[in-house]
Amino acid sequence: MHSQTPTPDQTIDPDRTVQLLDTTLRDGEQAPGVSLSPDEKVELARSLERAGVSVIEAGSACTGAGERRAISRVTDLDLDALVTSFCRGIRADVDQALECGVDGVHIVVPSSDRHVEGKVGTSREDNLATTAELVEYATEHDLWVEVIGEDGSRADLDYLAELAETSFDAGADRFCFADTVGHTGPEHTTAAVSRLAELGPVSAHTHDDLGLGVANALAAVSAGADLVHCTVNGLGERAGNVALEEVAIALSHVYDVETVDLESLYDLAQRVSRATGVELPPNKAVIGENAFTHESGIHTDGTLKDDKMYEPYAPETVGRERRLALGKHTGRAGVAATLEEHDVEAGDDEVAEIATRVTELGDRGRRVTDADLLAIAEDVTGDDRERVVDLLDLTATSGGAVPTASIRLDVDGEERVASGTGSGPVDAAVSAIREALGSSADAELESYHVDAVTGGTDAVVTVEVTMVRNDRSVTVARSEADITRASVEAMVDALDRLLAVDQRPLAPADD
């Protein structure tokens, strides 16, 4: 990728080798409500490997037998990445990690007086002795060893350096500067890591409680760290760990330092989001829905003229696509470009009228979907379109053991009836739609979410879906009192828009 122009006083040399350690499967799993199954850990470990992550912390072997089975499943993959386990400062934790067949361990020992005396109840001297014994024990068993000085950002720097030196003398491969509670800033990080790097290889473990996770990670690299602990999507305790995708793109774009396959980042983010159930924040750097979405007329016009006008790097760099959103700020250029994407022809005056109506709809607090735009365009241009697919009737039940749904559609003037089952009434209805339309309507549901729910006994739910077929996508929102009907109406309308592009009649449903 083309990064920004380097400056003479740049603090990270582009020739530096920096690696990323992903701890999504351990520290990320400590986020409230997140629990990964062994199968999910295996899938995510494979994805991390494909992305080129150097070290994968697969979990904490000390957690229990189930966690050890999950870690063992990851080690059995025989990945190129180093697979490790988190260990407390206890020999039994190292033994349990050895049972899982890991390549290495992260031995976490206290470094601040608050943790040495208050948490562990020991002295500085005894803490040093215990650390040396554990490192020697782990290295005797041929493990790669990293010692993490917990709460290092609040530790006495002289003692932190003594702890690191003790670790290296005992045979540790590296020492980690840990900003465990997201407490510090780049200046202190630079001072601490600079001193530690004089003793041996240093890594950095930063949290985002002050919003300084990336800044501290970059400060650590500038000061000599060559390994950064991250989690995908910034998952983790409290405000989360520093986000892998943000560190990777910052090092690449600003400093020309490559760490992982950047094009894998969005796919990796989506996989982690699905596995953990934690949705991607729309305004999140790199992986948020809005990161490459433009609504403002000025920004859209500028982006259409020059795709670098309002973006620091091309969306394709991280496996994304640029999107033009519709709303109160949309200008003529954005409307014209979106109509062109949907093969809708409109003259200049018609585009101006469509843009005015889109703005009016946005002014009412509505998110303007593709379906809204196309309906407005049909009204303005007078192009009355025959529907390809129309919903005639829907029945869904979920009270029994297996949720079922039956659907009646008008498809090119032919009535089709089908039924389906699923994990819930919406899933069952989707199965029925696919059964009725057959393989000729092979659209994929790219996104589905409940946009808003009103309160009271007459609550209305708004469902928004995005469906993709043959590289075309359509977003539709529908509001109903019943979530199943809202979902089905939105999907049918989206399918109708996508299928209308093909002028050929739909083939009969598959037998």
Side-chain angles (χ1 to χ4, degrees):
M1 66 177 289
H2 298 289
S3 68
Q4 69 173 34
T5 304
T7 59
D9 59 346
Q10 199 132 294
T11 58
I12 300 176
D13 192 293
D15 294 329
R16 285 280 304 279
T17 297
V18 180
Q19 297 180 318
L20 301 186
L21 178 154
D22 182 85
T23 180
T24 305
L25 307 186
R26 198 275 301 177
D27 218 355
E29 195 181 26
Q30 292 181 193
V34 174
S35 179
L36 297 170
S37 70
D39 286 344
E40 288 168 335
K41 286 204 173 191
V42 165
E43 179 193 349
L44 295 180
R46 285 183 171 138
S47 297
L48 291 165
E49 168 91 344
R50 285 193 296 271
V53 170
S54 300
V55 185
I56 299 172
E57 189 176 15
S60 302
C62 58
T63 300
E67 179 77 340
R68 288 192 287 278
R69 284 192 293 272
I71 296 172
S72 296
R73 289 275 304 279
V74 175
T75 60
D76 287 344
L77 296 174
D78 195 25
L79 303 175
D80 289 335
L82 200 71
V83 177
T84 62
S85 171
F86 176 93
C87 294
R88 298 166 299 176
I90 304 171
R91 180 175 291 200
D93 283 18
V94 178
D95 290 332
Q96 290 170 333
L98 285 166
E99 290 176 20
C100 301
V102 295
D103 302 309
V105 290
H106 309 279
I107 299 176
V108 180
V109 296
S111 64
S112 68
D113 288 338
R114 177 180 279 103
H115 280 238
V116 171
E117 299 168 1
K119 177 184 173 183
V120 179
T122 187
S123 66
R124 287 187 174 190
E125 293 72 20
D126 287 345
N127 186 51
L128 294 173
T130 300
T131 299
E133 291 173 6
L134 285 169
V135 171
E136 289 169 357
Y137 182 73
T139 55
E140 286 169 2
H141 288 82
D142 298 322
L143 289 171
W144 174 89
V145 178
E146 176 185 64
V147 173
I148 300 178
E150 188 173 20
D151 204 28
S153 60
R154 294 191 293 189
D156 174 76
L157 190 50
D158 288 337
Y159 181 69
L160 187 67
E162 188 177 1
L163 183 61
E165 188 169 21
T166 298
S167 302
F168 287 125
D169 289 345
D173 293 275
R174 63 175 51 247
F175 187 85
C176 178
F177 171 75
D179 186 21
T180 304
V181 296
H183 156 79
T184 196
E187 293 81 9
H188 179 70
T189 298
T190 298
V193 173
S194 296
R195 183 161 176 186
L196 296 173
E198 294 175 356
L199 305 172
V202 177
S203 53
H205 181 104
T206 66
H207 281 258
D208 210 32
D209 297 77
L210 298 178
L212 293 173
V214 173
N216 284 326
L218 295 179
V221 171
S222 175
D226 60 359
L227 180 71
V228 178
H229 293 207
C230 318
T231 61
V232 178
N233 304 341
L235 282 175
E237 295 174 288
R238 305 180 313 279
N241 294 47
V242 67
L244 180 146
E245 63 277 1
E246 294 179 16
V247 173
I249 195 66
L251 283 170
S252 176
H253 180 72
V254 181
Y255 301 103
D256 262 342
V257 173
E258 304 303 330
T259 53
V260 295
D261 175 22
L262 298 178
E263 289 186 16
S264 302
L265 292 179
Y266 187 53
D267 176 69
L268 186 58
Q270 289 181 308
R271 289 176 184 274
V272 170
S273 177
R274 286 194 297 268
T276 60
V278 179
E279 293 188 8
L280 303 179
N283 61 331
K284 187 80 163 62
V286 187
I287 47 86
E289 181 181 349
N290 295 347
F292 299 99
T293 299
H294 305 273
E295 178 186 321
S296 166
I298 295 173
H299 281 214
T300 298
D301 183 59
T303 300
L304 290 170
K305 291 174 179 174
D306 179 355
D307 57 14
K308 295 182 177 63
M309 191 77 72
Y310 287 105
E311 292 171 350
Y313 56 91
E316 294 80 12
T317 304
V318 292
R320 302 291 305 276
E321 291 181 356
R322 182 178 298 106
R323 295 185 61 187
L324 301 180
L326 301 169
K328 64 184 289 186
H329 304 292
T330 302
R332 297 184 189 183
V335 167
T338 307
L339 290 173
E340 185 178 348
E341 286 181 6
H342 291 285
D343 292 335
V344 175
E345 295 182 2
D348 291 344
D349 291 342
E350 291 171 328
V351 169
E353 174 62 20
I354 294 168
T356 297
R357 294 200 192 183
V358 167
T359 299
E360 291 172 351
L361 195 58
D363 277 336
R364 297 204 295 269
R366 280 278 307 277
R367 181 180 185 273
V368 184
T369 66
D370 298 316
D372 294 326
L373 172 70
L374 295 173
I376 292 169
E378 288 163 10
D379 186 50
V380 170
T381 62
D383 182 15
D384 293 329
R385 179 182 61 85
E386 292 288 335
R387 286 187 68 103
V388 178
V389 183
D390 204 1
L391 177 65
L392 300 177
D393 192 30
L394 166 69
T395 303
T397 59
S398 58
V402 179
T404 61
S406 60
I407 197 162
R408 189 159 59 93
L409 301 175
D410 182 310
V411 183
D412 280 339
E414 172 196 354
E415 187 174 303
R416 296 186 187 177
V417 179
S419 60
T421 60
S423 58
V426 174
D427 190 39
V430 172
S431 297
I433 293 172
R434 293 192 183 282
E435 179 69 22
L437 295 177
S439 59
S440 55
D442 54 347
E444 294 294 327
L445 180 62
E446 184 179 66
S447 70
Y448 169 92
H449 66 268
V450 177
D451 201 40
V453 180
T454 63
T457 57
D458 58 345
V460 173
V461 60
T462 299
V463 173
E464 183 177 289
V465 303
T466 299
M467 300 197 74
V468 180
R469 183 173 188 262
N470 297 335
D471 296 326
R472 292 178 181 272
S473 69
V474 171
T475 301
V476 179
R478 286 293 177 267
S479 299
E480 290 283 346
D482 181 80
I483 188 171
T484 304
R485 177 164 288 277
S487 302
V488 170
E489 286 185 355
M491 291 180 199
V492 169
D493 282 359
L495 281 168
D496 175 58
R497 294 289 179 183
L498 290 170
L499 295 172
V501 176
D502 279 335
Q503 299 303 314
R504 296 169 298 172
L506 282 178
D510 303 332
D511 294 330

